[in-house]
Amino acid sequence: VNLLLSLFCGVALYLLCERKIGGLSGVFALLLYCFSPNVLTHSALATIDMGSGLLALLFIFAFERSWQNNSPKGELLAGVVLGLLLSAKFSNMAFVIFVFVLAAFKLYSKEVHWQRVARHTAVVLASAWFIFSLIYGFQGVFQIKGAMRHAPNLTYLSPLLPTRAYAALGETFTKQNMASPPYIAGNRAAWTRSYYYPIVFLFKTPLGTLLLLIVLLANFPTLWREKKNDLMWLLMPPLIFFATLWMIGYPLDGYRHLMVLHPLLFLAFG
């Protein structure tokens, strides 16, 4: 199943890149994807990480089209895909932050009226919440639940989450606090816990991908002046995802939690 998800992810990457920029960019992005050692490795593992990458691409596609077409059906579709993405992994909550960042960008740039921004954001988030709650079961929704032992500040989320999802989130943070020090380069080192994802990203990401990312970030000011709208769709999602993962410190070690980044980065490189 994961091999099929990885295959569909490559197809989606090519089609999305071709649609936004052109055929050659799609081929370039697909080549980066197909010959990435990390993609080849994690495609053979029975995890949801490559599936999350596919859903992330589909969400970016559906979310962008919903803004372009100003269609209620498009907003609902984007919300449904976002709900599936959130149900796949808790770390994908970073894409909710992207929804708010994009709304703030639309308001700041004054591209659309504030009422449309509010309606669009509300419809996408509400439909995403409905799908998320449907998958986890609606039991416990709108009920205040007990405080999480290792994440008491997140108790305010309890009325919005089904009981099963809230319990799973609490278990996730429990594992985070009880986990052994991160395993890097054959050793476990407690000092790396706060910097685990930046370090493992530099260690295990191919040099070519890192160089392309450096070039892209070095030209960020120029690209922002000329193509700020494209940057919001192409570069902001992976940056927000990485920053969120770094700040919350996902509890389980492993580069696989960063695999959602790769299709998004290859899309930006294209």
Side-chain angles (χ1 to χ4, degrees), residues 152-259:
N153 294 331
L154 294 181
T155 306
Y156 67 91
L157 291 175
S158 67
L160 298 176
L161 298 177
T163 302
R164 288 171 56 197
Y166 189 71
L169 188 62
E171 183 180 353
T172 297
F173 280 100
T174 299
K175 289 181 179 179
Q176 179 184 30
N177 283 271
M178 298 177 63
S180 302
Y183 186 83
I184 296 180
N187 298 292
R188 290 194 178 274
W191 68 270
T192 62
R193 183 178 295 279
S194 300
Y195 308 98
Y196 175 76
Y197 285 108
I199 291 173
V200 79
F201 182 76
L202 292 175
F203 260 81
K204 295 189 176 182
T205 300
L207 182 59
T209 302
L210 291 176
L211 290 177
L212 287 172
L213 181 59
I214 291 172
V215 171
L216 185 61
L217 293 177
N219 289 278
F220 184 87
T222 302
L223 293 172
W224 181 256
R225 289 193 299 268
E226 297 176 357
K227 300 180 178 181
K228 63 176 65 176
N229 286 321
D230 289 336
L231 279 186
M232 284 301 300
W233 290 107
L234 296 176
L235 193 56
M236 281 300 154
L239 289 180
I240 291 173
F241 180 86
F242 184 81
T244 304
L245 202 66
W246 183 4
M247 287 188 294
I248 66 174
Y250 209 63
L252 304 179
D253 301 347
Y255 189 87
R256 70 181 187 85
H257 299 295
L258 293 173
M259 287 309 299

Side-chain angles (χ1 to χ4, degrees), residues 137-163:
F138 283 96
Q139 182 181 4
V141 172
F142 303 135
Q143 295 179 2
I144 299 177
K145 306 171 186 64
M148 294 184 189
R149 177 182 177 186
H150 295 289
N153 294 331
L154 294 181
T155 306
Y156 67 91
L157 291 175
S158 67
L160 298 176
L161 298 177
T163 302

Side-chain angles (χ1 to χ4, degrees), residues 16-55:
L16 184 55
C17 203
E18 183 185 36
R19 176 182 174 274
K20 287 190 64 65
I21 306 172
L24 290 179
S25 64
V27 172
F28 179 67
L30 185 59
L31 286 174
L32 291 174
Y33 179 84
C34 291
F35 291 98
S36 168
N38 291 308
V39 171
L40 293 174
T41 299
H42 288 86
S43 294
L45 301 179
T47 63
I48 194 58
D49 301 289
M50 298 307 301
S52 292
L54 171 61
L55 289 171

Side-chain angles (χ1 to χ4, degrees), residues 114-134:
W114 71 267
Q115 290 180 334
R116 184 193 164 192
V117 175
R119 186 208 71 198
H120 191 286
T121 304
V123 171
V124 169
L125 292 179
S127 52
W129 171 84
F130 179 83
I131 295 299
F132 179 85
S133 299
L134 179 65

Side-chain angles (χ1 to χ4, degrees), residues 63-166:
F63 195 38
E64 182 185 22
R65 282 184 63 86
S66 69
W67 276 106
Q68 291 176 345
N69 299 336
N70 191 22
S71 166
K73 292 182 179 179
E75 296 168 3
L76 287 172
L77 178 61
V80 168
V81 180
L82 178 59
L84 294 173
L85 182 60
L86 299 179
S87 302
K89 292 188 70 173
F90 286 128
S91 58
N92 293 336
M93 295 292 178
F95 290 94
V96 174
I97 299 176
F98 171 65
V99 172
F100 284 110
V101 169
L102 188 65
F105 172 77
K106 295 289 185 181
L107 291 173
Y108 175 79
S109 61
K110 299 180 180 180
E111 291 184 4
V112 293
H113 195 272
W114 71 267
Q115 290 180 334
R116 184 193 164 192
V117 175
R119 186 208 71 198
H120 191 286
T121 304
V123 171
V124 169
L125 292 179
S127 52
W129 171 84
F130 179 83
I131 295 299
F132 179 85
S133 299
L134 179 65
I135 291 175
Y136 274 96
F138 283 96
Q139 182 181 4
V141 172
F142 303 135
Q143 295 179 2
I144 299 177
K145 306 171 186 64
M148 294 184 189
R149 177 182 177 186
H150 295 289
N153 294 331
L154 294 181
T155 306
Y156 67 91
L157 291 175
S158 67
L160 298 176
L161 298 177
T163 302
R164 288 171 56 197
Y166 189 71

